[in-house]
Amino acid sequence: MQKPSDADLLAAFKIKSINRASVVKWFNKELALSLLNYQQAAKDCGSSDWTCPGNISSTADLLAKAQIWRATIPPQMLAWRDNLADFSLAYIAEQMRLAALFPKVSSEIDLFNDKEWNGDEFADRQFFLSFDDGPSAVHGTSDDVLAMLEENHKNAVFFVLGENFQARLHKTDANTLSGIYKHQCVASHGWEHQSHAKWAQWQDSIKRTQALITSVIAKENFLPLFRPPYGQRKADSGAFFQAQSLRVALWNLDSQDWNAHIDVDDIINRMMVLMLIKRHGVLLFHDVHAKAKAALPVLFNELGNAVTWGDCHLLATHDAKGN
């Protein structure tokens, strides 16, 4: 995937320009994370474990050993290897396209400053749940997701849209609305779901939403975080967010539950593979869609105690990064 020319990538991604430096930066970051993740995983290697090609100390060694390792895969696992290869290539292309567009089109693929985060630096085996775009209407999908989390003793950050939050408030009262998030965390997704990199009123969007949330949500459940719709924000917006005592909170594990072409089984398989590969980070779901309610209990059960589902309240501090 590093070999195609700019012309090939432009045609494949159907974009008008490519930032090759951004693509190279992303590749190097992913290789470094892959090395670190392999080293973490290899701590549990047994002497006869075919999945462990030995001690690896550099990304070059990682790539070389991976080529050798491919020849050792047991025959009964070849179908698994092929499926994983197909998924990996599709996922790499998906991420590379975002890198090719950055920073002309900003996203979760990279950060503008050290006050932003996307989950790449979190502690090994530590994952956090997040939901965007809610709340739904009363007794809608948001309520179903909240009930599912409560039943499974998990919590998440709900990045709410101001207009949806206000609409829900008009149908109920502040105490009731605050109460549905009593064991959860609430943060801002802006007033409307549109790019905060192009919207002239982006600052007002953030201020209005912040004021509304803090007037309703209990102080202990509010997080001073902002997640831009589509991950799009202005490159020079850092000073504004600092003045508002906010941090930009992105993600690094996208469930794509918004995608009509992806069903619940696809989401389960996608997130399971990404969690095994990435080993830490922030999962992105949407509580205005129903798929998370069905997919997450399966992930909770399948992964068991192999991972730690972090308390969303930690995301207000540096503790979530293990610092």
Side-chain angles (χ1 to χ4, degrees):
M1 294 295 288
Q2 298 184 66
K3 296 178 181 178
S5 66
D6 285 4
D8 291 336
L9 293 179
L10 291 172
F13 296 155
K14 296 179 174 60
I15 56 180
K16 296 180 179 179
S17 63
I18 178 172
N19 184 345
R20 176 62 71 168
S22 175
V23 172
V24 171
K25 179 183 178 183
W26 175 78
F27 260 115
N28 289 336
K29 181 198 73 171
E30 289 300 312
L31 284 173
L33 286 173
S34 295
L35 173 63
L36 178 62
N37 290 344
Y38 173 78
Q39 290 171 337
Q40 293 280 4
K43 293 177 181 179
D44 295 327
C45 282
S47 58
S48 60
D49 192 337
W50 68 271
T51 68
C52 300
N55 294 327
I56 295 176
S57 59
S58 69
T59 56
D61 192 23
L62 179 68
L63 293 174
K65 291 279 181 62
Q67 291 301 319
I68 297 171
W69 172 83
R70 287 166 64 94
T72 71
I73 299 175
Q76 67 270 25
M77 299 298 294
L78 292 178
W80 163 82
R81 189 274 312 275
D82 292 342
N83 286 337
L84 182 59
D86 290 343
F87 172 84
S88 297
L89 286 172
Y91 180 74
I92 290 169
E94 170 191 315
Q95 297 293 289
M96 189 193 297
R97 185 179 189 277
L98 294 177
L101 290 168
F102 193 89
K104 186 176 181 180
V105 179
S106 54
S107 66
E108 77 279 10
I109 204 70
D110 202 357
L111 310 178
F112 283 126
N113 57 68
D114 61 6
K115 299 299 181 183
E116 299 183 343
W117 52 255
N118 60 8
D120 280 344
E121 298 180 3
F122 289 0
D124 188 49
R125 300 195 188 200
Q126 187 172 50
F127 295 92
F128 292 85
L129 295 169
S130 67
F131 293 87
D132 288 3
D133 297 357
S136 66
V138 178
H139 304 308
T141 52
S142 293
D143 300 74
D144 292 339
V145 167
L146 287 160
M148 177 273 296
L149 292 175
E150 191 76 15
E151 182 179 346
N152 287 275
H153 309 291
K154 302 290 189 298
N155 65 23
V157 188
F158 287 81
F159 291 94
V160 301
L161 287 171
E163 61 179 0
N164 286 352
F165 196 81
Q166 186 176 72
R168 179 81 183 239
L169 182 60
H170 287 165
K171 295 294 184 179
T172 179
D173 60 81
N175 286 337
T176 300
L177 183 52
S178 179
I180 69 172
Y181 296 107
K182 62 182 177 180
H183 296 142
Q184 309 297 323
C185 299
V186 179
S188 171
H189 200 34
W191 195 262
E192 298 176 15
H193 201 283
Q194 60 173 295
S195 172
H196 280 54
K198 302 176 181 177
W199 189 14
Q201 288 78 41
W202 70 273
Q203 293 186 357
D204 179 63
S205 164
I206 294 166
K207 290 178 179 178
R208 287 177 67 196
T209 307
Q210 204 74 354
L212 177 61
I213 295 173
T214 54
S215 71
V216 173
I217 295 297
K219 184 177 180 180
E220 63 270 19
N221 295 331
F222 165 75
L223 295 187
L225 303 174
F226 170 68
R227 172 170 287 172
Y230 314 108
Q232 295 177 7
R233 69 279 186 205
K234 291 183 175 296
D236 60 354
S237 58
F240 169 81
F241 289 117
Q242 188 168 8
Q244 300 299 312
S245 299
L246 290 173
R247 298 189 69 178
V248 171
L250 301 166
W251 63 92
N252 61 347
L253 295 133
D254 184 356
S255 71
Q256 294 201 351
D257 59 341
W258 50 267
N259 190 334
H261 300 291
I262 292 180
D263 63 22
V264 171
D265 287 338
D266 294 329
I267 291 172
I268 293 169
N269 291 332
R270 174 184 174 89
M271 299 310 280
M272 184 77 72
V273 171
L274 290 180
M275 290 176 73
L276 288 167
I277 292 172
K278 288 183 172 289
R279 293 184 67 89
H280 55 263
V282 178
L283 283 67
L284 168 62
F285 287 92
H286 298 78
D287 52 312
V288 293
H289 299 299
K291 296 172 187 174
K293 177 190 173 184
L296 278 170
V298 177
L299 289 177
F300 297 152
N301 182 63
E302 290 291 328
L303 291 166
N305 295 323
V307 304
T308 298
W309 296 99
D311 183 346
C312 62
H313 299 86
L314 291 175
L315 292 174
T317 72
H318 289 284
D319 292 345
K321 293 186 178 183
N323 293 337

PDB file of all heavy atoms in Angstrom, residues 39-70:
ATOM      1  N   GLN A  39       4.929  -6.062  20.589  1.00  0.00           N
ATOM      2  CA  GLN A  39       5.790  -6.279  21.758  1.00  0.00           C
ATOM      3  C   GLN A  39       4.944  -6.504  23.013  1.00  0.00           C
ATOM      4  O   GLN A  39       5.296  -7.334  23.865  1.00  0.00           O
ATOM      5  CB  GLN A  39       6.732  -5.091  21.934  1.00  0.00           C
ATOM      6  CG  GLN A  39       7.806  -5.005  20.858  1.00  0.00           C
ATOM      7  CD  GLN A  39       8.599  -3.709  20.906  1.00  0.00           C
ATOM      8  OE1 GLN A  39       8.136  -2.699  21.427  1.00  0.00           O
ATOM      9  NE2 GLN A  39       9.810  -3.739  20.361  1.00  0.00           N
ATOM     10  N   GLN A  40       3.839  -5.778  23.115  1.00  0.00           N
ATOM     11  CA  GLN A  40       2.932  -5.992  24.252  1.00  0.00           C
ATOM     12  C   GLN A  40       2.317  -7.389  24.185  1.00  0.00           C
ATOM     13  O   GLN A  40       2.279  -8.116  25.180  1.00  0.00           O
ATOM     14  CB  GLN A  40       1.817  -4.932  24.249  1.00  0.00           C
ATOM     15  CG  GLN A  40       2.279  -3.514  24.508  1.00  0.00           C
ATOM     16  CD  GLN A  40       2.509  -3.232  25.979  1.00  0.00           C
ATOM     17  OE1 GLN A  40       2.394  -4.117  26.825  1.00  0.00           O
ATOM     18  NE2 GLN A  40       2.851  -1.997  26.306  1.00  0.00           N
ATOM     19  N   ALA A  41       1.839  -7.771  22.997  1.00  0.00           N
ATOM     20  CA  ALA A  41       1.196  -9.079  22.840  1.00  0.00           C
ATOM     21  C   ALA A  41       2.179 -10.219  23.055  1.00  0.00           C
ATOM     22  O   ALA A  41       1.836 -11.267  23.612  1.00  0.00           O
ATOM     23  CB  ALA A  41       0.571  -9.174  21.446  1.00  0.00           C
ATOM     24  N   ALA A  42       3.433 -10.020  22.623  1.00  0.00           N
ATOM     25  CA  ALA A  42       4.439 -11.086  22.680  1.00  0.00           C
ATOM     26  C   ALA A  42       4.837 -11.449  24.107  1.00  0.00           C
ATOM     27  O   ALA A  42       5.469 -12.490  24.327  1.00  0.00           O
ATOM     28  CB  ALA A  42       5.675 -10.673  21.883  1.00  0.00           C
ATOM     29  N   LYS A  43       4.475 -10.620  25.067  1.00  0.00           N
ATOM     30  CA  LYS A  43       4.776 -10.935  26.465  1.00  0.00           C
ATOM     31  C   LYS A  43       4.089 -12.227  26.899  1.00  0.00           C
ATOM     32  O   LYS A  43       4.525 -12.882  27.848  1.00  0.00           O
ATOM     33  CB  LYS A  43       4.349  -9.782  27.380  1.00  0.00           C
ATOM     34  CG  LYS A  43       5.149  -8.504  27.190  1.00  0.00           C
ATOM     35  CD  LYS A  43       4.620  -7.385  28.072  1.00  0.00           C
ATOM     36  CE  LYS A  43       5.394  -6.088  27.864  1.00  0.00           C
ATOM     37  NZ  LYS A  43       4.869  -4.982  28.702  1.00  0.00           N
ATOM     38  N   ASP A  44       3.017 -12.583  26.204  1.00  0.00           N
ATOM     39  CA  ASP A  44       2.266 -13.795  26.550  1.00  0.00           C
ATOM     40  C   ASP A  44       2.608 -14.980  25.652  1.00  0.00           C
ATOM     41  O   ASP A  44       1.940 -16.013  25.697  1.00  0.00           O
ATOM     42  CB  ASP A  44       0.756 -13.518  26.455  1.00  0.00           C
ATOM     43  CG  ASP A  44       0.290 -12.500  27.488  1.00  0.00           C
ATOM     44  OD1 ASP A  44       0.865 -12.482  28.587  1.00  0.00           O
ATOM     45  OD2 ASP A  44      -0.632 -11.722  27.179  1.00  0.00           O
ATOM     46  N   CYS A  45       3.639 -14.847  24.825  1.00  0.00           N
ATOM     47  CA  CYS A  45       3.989 -15.921  23.892  1.00  0.00           C
ATOM     48  C   CYS A  45       4.520 -17.164  24.616  1.00  0.00           C
ATOM     49  O   CYS A  45       5.323 -17.042  25.549  1.00  0.00           O
ATOM     50  CB  CYS A  45       5.048 -15.436  22.903  1.00  0.00           C
ATOM     51  SG  CYS A  45       4.395 -14.403  21.580  1.00  0.00           S
ATOM     52  N   GLY A  46       4.086 -18.319  24.139  1.00  0.00           N
ATOM     53  CA  GLY A  46       4.647 -19.576  24.621  1.00  0.00           C
ATOM     54  C   GLY A  46       5.727 -20.054  23.679  1.00  0.00           C
ATOM     55  O   GLY A  46       5.844 -19.579  22.543  1.00  0.00           O
ATOM     56  N   SER A  47       6.512 -21.025  24.110  1.00  0.00           N
ATOM     57  CA  SER A  47       7.661 -21.495  23.318  1.00  0.00           C
ATOM     58  C   SER A  47       7.238 -22.129  21.999  1.00  0.00           C
ATOM     59  O   SER A  47       7.987 -22.103  21.023  1.00  0.00           O
ATOM     60  CB  SER A  47       8.477 -22.500  24.142  1.00  0.00           C
ATOM     61  OG  SER A  47       7.664 -23.599  24.530  1.00  0.00           O
ATOM     62  N   SER A  48       6.060 -22.734  21.940  1.00  0.00           N
ATOM     63  CA  SER A  48       5.621 -23.403  20.714  1.00  0.00           C
ATOM     64  C   SER A  48       4.475 -22.664  20.026  1.00  0.00           C
ATOM     65  O   SER A  48       3.748 -23.242  19.224  1.00  0.00           O
ATOM     66  CB  SER A  48       5.171 -24.835  21.045  1.00  0.00           C
ATOM     67  OG  SER A  48       4.096 -24.814  21.972  1.00  0.00           O
ATOM     68  N   ASP A  49       4.326 -21.391  20.329  1.00  0.00           N
ATOM     69  CA  ASP A  49       3.216 -20.597  19.794  1.00  0.00           C
ATOM     70  C   ASP A  49       3.535 -20.148  18.369  1.00  0.00           C
ATOM     71  O   ASP A  49       4.435 -19.337  18.148  1.00  0.00           O
ATOM     72  CB  ASP A  49       2.989 -19.378  20.694  1.00  0.00           C
ATOM     73  CG  ASP A  49       1.680 -18.666  20.386  1.00  0.00           C
ATOM     74  OD1 ASP A  49       1.177 -18.812  19.259  1.00  0.00           O
ATOM     75  OD2 ASP A  49       1.169 -17.954  21.269  1.00  0.00           O
ATOM     76  N   TRP A  50       2.806 -20.676  17.381  1.00  0.00           N
ATOM     77  CA  TRP A  50       3.085 -20.353  15.976  1.00  0.00           C
ATOM     78  C   TRP A  50       2.779 -18.894  15.657  1.00  0.00           C
ATOM     79  O   TRP A  50       3.240 -18.382  14.627  1.00  0.00           O
ATOM     80  CB  TRP A  50       2.295 -21.274  15.050  1.00  0.00           C
ATOM     81  CG  TRP A  50       0.810 -21.070  15.080  1.00  0.00           C
ATOM     82  CD1 TRP A  50      -0.084 -21.664  15.901  1.00  0.00           C
ATOM     83  CD2 TRP A  50       0.047 -20.209  14.233  1.00  0.00           C
ATOM     84  NE1 TRP A  50      -1.359 -21.235  15.655  1.00  0.00           N
ATOM     85  CE2 TRP A  50      -1.304 -20.333  14.620  1.00  0.00           C
ATOM     86  CE3 TRP A  50       0.361 -19.332  13.189  1.00  0.00           C
ATOM     87  CZ2 TRP A  50      -2.342 -19.619  14.006  1.00  0.00           C
ATOM     88  CZ3 TRP A  50      -0.668 -18.622  12.578  1.00  0.00           C
ATOM     89  CH2 TRP A  50      -2.000 -18.773  12.986  1.00  0.00           C
ATOM     90  N   THR A  51       1.998 -18.220  16.495  1.00  0.00           N
ATOM     91  CA  THR A  51       1.664 -16.817  16.223  1.00  0.00           C
ATOM     92  C   THR A  51       2.775 -15.859  16.636  1.00  0.00           C
ATOM     93  O   THR A  51       2.663 -14.654  16.423  1.00  0.00           O
ATOM     94  CB  THR A  51       0.365 -16.406  16.963  1.00  0.00           C
ATOM     95  OG1 THR A  51       0.601 -16.387  18.380  1.00  0.00           O
ATOM     96  CG2 THR A  51      -0.772 -17.347  16.650  1.00  0.00           C
ATOM     97  N   CYS A  52       3.842 -16.368  17.238  1.00  0.00           N
ATOM     98  CA  CYS A  52       4.918 -15.511  17.745  1.00  0.00           C
ATOM     99  C   CYS A  52       6.218 -15.772  16.987  1.00  0.00           C
ATOM    100  O   CYS A  52       6.905 -16.765  17.261  1.00  0.00           O
ATOM    101  CB  CYS A  52       5.140 -15.776  19.233  1.00  0.00           C
ATOM    102  SG  CYS A  52       3.684 -15.450  20.257  1.00  0.00           S
ATOM    103  N   PRO A  53       6.598 -14.899  16.067  1.00  0.00           N
ATOM    104  CA  PRO A  53       7.824 -15.119  15.294  1.00  0.00           C
ATOM    105  C   PRO A  53       9.109 -14.729  16.024  1.00  0.00           C
ATOM    106  O   PRO A  53      10.179 -14.756  15.424  1.00  0.00           O
ATOM    107  CB  PRO A  53       7.612 -14.252  14.054  1.00  0.00           C
ATOM    108  CG  PRO A  53       6.703 -13.172  14.499  1.00  0.00           C
ATOM    109  CD  PRO A  53       5.804 -13.790  15.521  1.00  0.00           C
ATOM    110  N   GLY A  54       9.021 -14.365  17.291  1.00  0.00           N
ATOM    111  CA  GLY A  54      10.236 -14.093  18.055  1.00  0.00           C
ATOM    112  C   GLY A  54      10.357 -12.645  18.488  1.00  0.00           C
ATOM    113  O   GLY A  54       9.454 -11.835  18.286  1.00  0.00           O
ATOM    114  N   ASN A  55      11.497 -12.331  19.085  1.00  0.00           N
ATOM    115  CA  ASN A  55      11.746 -10.977  19.559  1.00  0.00           C
ATOM    116  C   ASN A  55      11.884 -10.023  18.372  1.00  0.00           C
ATOM    117  O   ASN A  55      12.595 -10.315  17.406  1.00  0.00           O
ATOM    118  CB  ASN A  55      13.012 -10.921  20.412  1.00  0.00           C
ATOM    119  CG  ASN A  55      12.856 -11.709  21.704  1.00  0.00           C
ATOM    120  OD1 ASN A  55      11.764 -11.770  22.266  1.00  0.00           O
ATOM    121  ND2 ASN A  55      13.936 -12.312  22.166  1.00  0.00           N
ATOM    122  N   ILE A  56      11.220  -8.893  18.452  1.00  0.00           N
ATOM    123  CA  ILE A  56      11.241  -7.902  17.377  1.00  0.00           C
ATOM    124  C   ILE A  56      11.529  -6.535  17.999  1.00  0.00           C
ATOM    125  O   ILE A  56      10.829  -6.108  18.916  1.00  0.00           O
ATOM    126  CB  ILE A  56       9.906  -7.890  16.614  1.00  0.00           C
ATOM    127  CG1 ILE A  56       9.715  -9.227  15.895  1.00  0.00           C
ATOM    128  CG2 ILE A  56       9.851  -6.739  15.621  1.00  0.00           C
ATOM    129  CD1 ILE A  56       8.381  -9.367  15.193  1.00  0.00           C
ATOM    130  N   SER A  57      12.534  -5.849  17.463  1.00  0.00           N
ATOM    131  CA  SER A  57      12.967  -4.603  18.090  1.00  0.00           C
ATOM    132  C   SER A  57      12.808  -3.372  17.215  1.00  0.00           C
ATOM    133  O   SER A  57      13.055  -2.256  17.672  1.00  0.00           O
ATOM    134  CB  SER A  57      14.440  -4.721  18.512  1.00  0.00           C
ATOM    135  OG  SER A  57      15.256  -5.011  17.380  1.00  0.00           O
ATOM    136  N   SER A  58      12.413  -3.563  15.941  1.00  0.00           N
ATOM    137  CA  SER A  58      12.270  -2.416  15.046  1.00  0.00           C
ATOM    138  C   SER A  58      11.135  -2.668  14.066  1.00  0.00           C
ATOM    139  O   SER A  58      10.716  -3.813  13.856  1.00  0.00           O
ATOM    140  CB  SER A  58      13.569  -2.180  14.272  1.00  0.00           C
ATOM    141  OG  SER A  58      13.792  -3.234  13.348  1.00  0.00           O
ATOM    142  N   THR A  59      10.665  -1.599  13.443  1.00  0.00           N
ATOM    143  CA  THR A  59       9.587  -1.766  12.459  1.00  0.00           C
ATOM    144  C   THR A  59      10.078  -2.533  11.237  1.00  0.00           C
ATOM    145  O   THR A  59       9.322  -3.317  10.646  1.00  0.00           O
ATOM    146  CB  THR A  59       9.023  -0.400  12.038  1.00  0.00           C
ATOM    147  OG1 THR A  59      10.072   0.433  11.546  1.00  0.00           O
ATOM    148  CG2 THR A  59       8.343   0.292  13.206  1.00  0.00           C
ATOM    149  N   ALA A  60      11.335  -2.327  10.851  1.00  0.00           N
ATOM    150  CA  ALA A  60      11.887  -3.081   9.720  1.00  0.00           C
ATOM    151  C   ALA A  60      11.901  -4.570  10.036  1.00  0.00           C
ATOM    152  O   ALA A  60      11.570  -5.415   9.187  1.00  0.00           O
ATOM    153  CB  ALA A  60      13.296  -2.586   9.397  1.00  0.00           C
ATOM    154  N   ASP A  61      12.285  -4.918  11.259  1.00  0.00           N
ATOM    155  CA  ASP A  61      12.299  -6.307  11.692  1.00  0.00           C
ATOM    156  C   ASP A  61      10.886  -6.872  11.733  1.00  0.00           C
ATOM    157  O   ASP A  61      10.636  -8.028  11.367  1.00  0.00           O
ATOM    158  CB  ASP A  61      12.967  -6.404  13.063  1.00  0.00           C
ATOM    159  CG  ASP A  61      13.298  -7.829  13.465  1.00  0.00           C
ATOM    160  OD1 ASP A  61      13.429  -8.683  12.568  1.00  0.00           O
ATOM    161  OD2 ASP A  61      13.431  -8.088  14.685  1.00  0.00           O
ATOM    162  N   LEU A  62       9.939  -6.045  12.176  1.00  0.00           N
ATOM    163  CA  LEU A  62       8.539  -6.454  12.231  1.00  0.00           C
ATOM    164  C   LEU A  62       8.038  -6.839  10.836  1.00  0.00           C
ATOM    165  O   LEU A  62       7.415  -7.892  10.654  1.00  0.00           O
ATOM    166  CB  LEU A  62       7.684  -5.330  12.805  1.00  0.00           C
ATOM    167  CG  LEU A  62       6.177  -5.583  12.907  1.00  0.00           C
ATOM    168  CD1 LEU A  62       5.866  -6.640  13.951  1.00  0.00           C
ATOM    169  CD2 LEU A  62       5.432  -4.296  13.221  1.00  0.00           C
ATOM    170  N   LEU A  63       8.318  -6.008   9.855  1.00  0.00           N
ATOM    171  CA  LEU A  63       7.867  -6.284   8.491  1.00  0.00           C
ATOM    172  C   LEU A  63       8.554  -7.522   7.922  1.00  0.00           C
ATOM    173  O   LEU A  63       7.920  -8.348   7.255  1.00  0.00           O
ATOM    174  CB  LEU A  63       8.135  -5.067   7.607  1.00  0.00           C
ATOM    175  CG  LEU A  63       7.321  -3.813   7.940  1.00  0.00           C
ATOM    176  CD1 LEU A  63       7.774  -2.631   7.095  1.00  0.00           C
ATOM    177  CD2 LEU A  63       5.836  -4.059   7.747  1.00  0.00           C
ATOM    178  N   ALA A  64       9.843  -7.651   8.171  1.00  0.00           N
ATOM    179  CA  ALA A  64      10.580  -8.813   7.662  1.00  0.00           C
ATOM    180  C   ALA A  64      10.085 -10.106   8.289  1.00  0.00           C
ATOM    181  O   ALA A  64       9.853 -11.112   7.597  1.00  0.00           O
ATOM    182  CB  ALA A  64      12.074  -8.626   7.933  1.00  0.00           C
ATOM    183  N   LYS A  65       9.905 -10.102   9.607  1.00  0.00           N
ATOM    184  CA  LYS A  65       9.436 -11.306  10.302  1.00  0.00           C
ATOM    185  C   LYS A  65       7.991 -11.641   9.889  1.00  0.00           C
ATOM    186  O   LYS A  65       7.621 -12.820   9.839  1.00  0.00           O
ATOM    187  CB  LYS A  65       9.512 -11.092  11.822  1.00  0.00           C
ATOM    188  CG  LYS A  65      10.935 -11.005  12.378  1.00  0.00           C
ATOM    189  CD  LYS A  65      11.519 -12.391  12.574  1.00  0.00           C
ATOM    190  CE  LYS A  65      12.947 -12.301  13.147  1.00  0.00           C
ATOM    191  NZ  LYS A  65      13.007 -11.679  14.468  1.00  0.00           N
ATOM    192  N   ALA A  66       7.214 -10.621   9.600  1.00  0.00           N
ATOM    193  CA  ALA A  66       5.833 -10.873   9.183  1.00  0.00           C
ATOM    194  C   ALA A  66       5.794 -11.647   7.870  1.00  0.00           C
ATOM    195  O   ALA A  66       4.953 -12.536   7.680  1.00  0.00           O
ATOM    196  CB  ALA A  66       5.080  -9.550   9.046  1.00  0.00           C
ATOM    197  N   GLN A  67       6.700 -11.331   6.953  1.00  0.00           N
ATOM    198  CA  GLN A  67       6.751 -12.048   5.678  1.00  0.00           C
ATOM    199  C   GLN A  67       7.142 -13.510   5.888  1.00  0.00           C
ATOM    200  O   GLN A  67       6.579 -14.413   5.270  1.00  0.00           O
ATOM    201  CB  GLN A  67       7.752 -11.364   4.745  1.00  0.00           C
ATOM    202  CG  GLN A  67       7.309  -9.996   4.260  1.00  0.00           C
ATOM    203  CD  GLN A  67       5.986 -10.046   3.508  1.00  0.00           C
ATOM    204  OE1 GLN A  67       5.747 -10.949   2.710  1.00  0.00           O
ATOM    205  NE2 GLN A  67       5.114  -9.086   3.780  1.00  0.00           N
ATOM    206  N   ILE A  68       8.086 -13.745   6.774  1.00  0.00           N
ATOM    207  CA  ILE A  68       8.495 -15.118   7.089  1.00  0.00           C
ATOM    208  C   ILE A  68       7.362 -15.867   7.778  1.00  0.00           C
ATOM    209  O   ILE A  68       7.075 -17.031   7.494  1.00  0.00           O
ATOM    210  CB  ILE A  68       9.762 -15.101   7.974  1.00  0.00           C
ATOM    211  CG1 ILE A  68      10.929 -14.466   7.212  1.00  0.00           C
ATOM    212  CG2 ILE A  68      10.114 -16.504   8.447  1.00  0.00           C
ATOM    213  CD1 ILE A  68      12.157 -14.216   8.067  1.00  0.00           C
ATOM    214  N   TRP A  69       6.690 -15.175   8.700  1.00  0.00           N
ATOM    215  CA  TRP A  69       5.606 -15.765   9.493  1.00  0.00           C
ATOM    216  C   TRP A  69       4.466 -16.259   8.616  1.00  0.00           C
ATOM    217  O   TRP A  69       3.835 -17.281   8.911  1.00  0.00           O
ATOM    218  CB  TRP A  69       5.114 -14.728  10.498  1.00  0.00           C
ATOM    219  CG  TRP A  69       3.880 -15.112  11.252  1.00  0.00           C
ATOM    220  CD1 TRP A  69       3.802 -15.888  12.368  1.00  0.00           C
ATOM    221  CD2 TRP A  69       2.528 -14.734  10.938  1.00  0.00           C
ATOM    222  NE1 TRP A  69       2.499 -16.013  12.784  1.00  0.00           N
ATOM    223  CE2 TRP A  69       1.692 -15.320  11.913  1.00  0.00           C
ATOM    224  CE3 TRP A  69       1.947 -13.964   9.942  1.00  0.00           C
ATOM    225  CZ2 TRP A  69       0.315 -15.149  11.912  1.00  0.00           C
ATOM    226  CZ3 TRP A  69       0.572 -13.796   9.938  1.00  0.00           C
ATOM    227  CH2 TRP A  69      -0.232 -14.386  10.903  1.00  0.00           C
ATOM    228  N   ARG A  70       4.197 -15.553   7.515  1.00  0.00           N
ATOM    229  CA  ARG A  70       3.084 -15.937   6.636  1.00  0.00           C
ATOM    230  C   ARG A  70       3.205 -17.384   6.170  1.00  0.00           C
ATOM    231  O   ARG A  70       2.193 -18.072   5.966  1.00  0.00           O
ATOM    232  CB  ARG A  70       3.031 -15.008   5.422  1.00  0.00           C
ATOM    233  CG  ARG A  70       2.537 -13.610   5.730  1.00  0.00           C
ATOM    234  CD  ARG A  70       2.831 -12.670   4.584  1.00  0.00           C
ATOM    235  NE  ARG A  70       2.108 -13.043   3.371  1.00  0.00           N
ATOM    236  CZ  ARG A  70       0.931 -12.542   3.022  1.00  0.00           C
ATOM    237  NH1 ARG A  70       0.343 -11.657   3.807  1.00  0.00           N
ATOM    238  NH2 ARG A  70       0.356 -12.906   1.909  1.00  0.00           N
TER     239      ARG A  70
END
